[in-house]
Amino acid sequence: MATMRLSFQDLYNEVSKFLGSYGSSGPSGADLTDAKDSVHAGYRRFLNAYDWSFVKPILKFTTVANAWEYNLPEDFSYFIGPFHFSAGSSYPPIEERSVEDILGMRSSLDHTTYPEYYAIKPGPYSPETGQNFEILFYPTPDSAYTVFGRYKLYPRKLSADSDLPVGTPETDEALKALCLAEAEIRKDEEVGPQSQLAQEILRDAVRTDKMRNARRLGRDYPPLSVWEVARGSYMISDVSPFQTGTN
């Protein structure tokens, strides 16, 4: 099916045309390598430019009885909010804690039931996949529980000509502009008019993406549920790592 999306090949061809190295049938050799490098650099700038809605999918997986460590997807960056159990479950959301907290609780009382807390820790590193991450649960799950959690992904490098970047047709134009801006900087060794144009197009893409956010966020200061009060999870004494001192 035809699509309005820009593929990896579309992007590096646009860069090659901008640099004047396209030739009669597209870039080749060192020109092709340079064009692809500009696309990869522009893609990184695009991903870091804004908290895009389409890089926050929901991760769903099922625990295994007596297993408390699990591998996370290769594109995992960090979780957004707590884990929730499957629909109809009466279990409270699984809250985040530090790795040290999880290990400390396990050393004090290692038991099995539904998980109440989780922590993220770096997993094995490999040159092929980069840095991987793992999730730890406490208590250790005593059965198969299906849990859902929203996370920030960092997509893989574009490789095949047909690869599509994350995003939408609207954001593709911003990505293309950033790739051209990167090519301009590499060619002229200074920021030029293409970079300014890229920022204008990027602002339009951000404005469009914001339209995907919820218009209503719920009540301000909602009442605590029964399990929140019982566990004391959202009381004033709950410590945030951002509370580093007083002014």
Side-chain angles (χ1 to χ4, degrees):
M1 183 177 67
T3 175
M4 294 289 289
R5 300 296 314 279
L6 296 178
S7 68
F8 183 35
Q9 185 176 38
D10 292 330
L11 291 169
Y12 70 67
N13 279 343
E14 288 293 327
V15 169
S16 179
K17 293 174 183 177
F18 175 78
L19 294 174
S21 61
Y22 187 76
S24 59
S25 58
S28 61
D31 292 332
L32 176 59
T33 300
D34 290 344
K36 288 184 176 182
D37 287 346
S38 292
V39 170
H40 293 144
Y43 196 21
R44 287 190 292 269
R45 288 179 61 183
F46 170 78
L47 292 170
N48 295 326
Y50 176 68
D51 190 21
W52 303 104
S53 64
F54 42 76
V55 295
K56 294 182 284 189
I58 293 177
L59 171 66
K60 172 185 175 182
F61 71 94
T62 302
T63 63
V64 178
N66 300 315
W68 65 288
E69 297 178 274
Y70 299 84
N71 294 323
L72 289 170
E74 291 180 1
D75 61 6
F76 173 84
S77 183
Y78 57 83
F79 277 114
I80 305 168
F83 267 112
H84 293 273
F85 287 88
S86 56
S89 171
S90 60
Y91 302 117
I94 309 172
E95 291 188 345
E96 184 177 16
R97 289 293 185 266
S98 69
V99 173
E100 290 74 19
D101 282 342
I102 298 294
L103 297 178
M105 287 186 284
R106 284 181 57 82
S107 65
S108 298
L109 178 62
D110 184 15
H111 68 292
T112 60
T113 181
Y114 67 88
E116 296 184 62
Y117 306 105
Y118 76 89
I120 304 300
K121 80 175 187 70
Y125 165 81
S126 73
E128 293 77 20
T129 61
Q131 180 61 59
N132 296 297
F133 290 89
E134 299 175 350
I135 184 169
L136 312 178
F137 285 115
Y138 181 83
T140 300
D142 62 345
S143 183
Y145 296 96
T146 300
V147 295
F148 302 82
R150 201 176 187 199
Y151 75 103
K152 176 72 173 288
L153 68 83
Y154 204 87
R156 287 187 174 187
K157 186 177 182 179
L158 300 174
S159 178
D161 285 349
S162 59
D163 282 353
L164 297 177
V166 294
T168 65
E170 301 95 337
T171 59
D172 278 353
E173 287 303 311
L175 171 57
K176 181 179 75 173
L178 288 170
C179 293
L180 297 180
E182 186 64 31
E184 178 185 59
I185 293 172
R186 293 179 176 219
K187 176 185 177 183
D188 301 333
E189 297 184 350
E190 62 180 5
V191 175
Q194 187 60 47
S195 293
Q196 181 178 352
L197 177 61
Q199 291 305 311
E200 294 175 2
I201 298 176
L202 180 63
R203 282 194 291 270
D204 291 339
V206 168
R207 190 179 305 113
T208 300
D209 193 63
K210 286 182 177 179
M211 298 296 292
R212 297 184 179 88
N213 293 335
R215 305 300 196 275
R216 296 176 64 93
L217 302 179
R219 292 176 297 178
D220 194 13
Y221 300 109
L224 297 177
S225 65
V226 172
W227 53 261
E228 286 173 314
V229 173
R231 194 162 68 179
S233 301
Y234 293 88
M235 305 303 287
I236 247 175
S237 58
D238 202 24
V239 178
S240 165
F242 299 104
Q243 296 170 325
T244 56
T246 58
N247 295 325

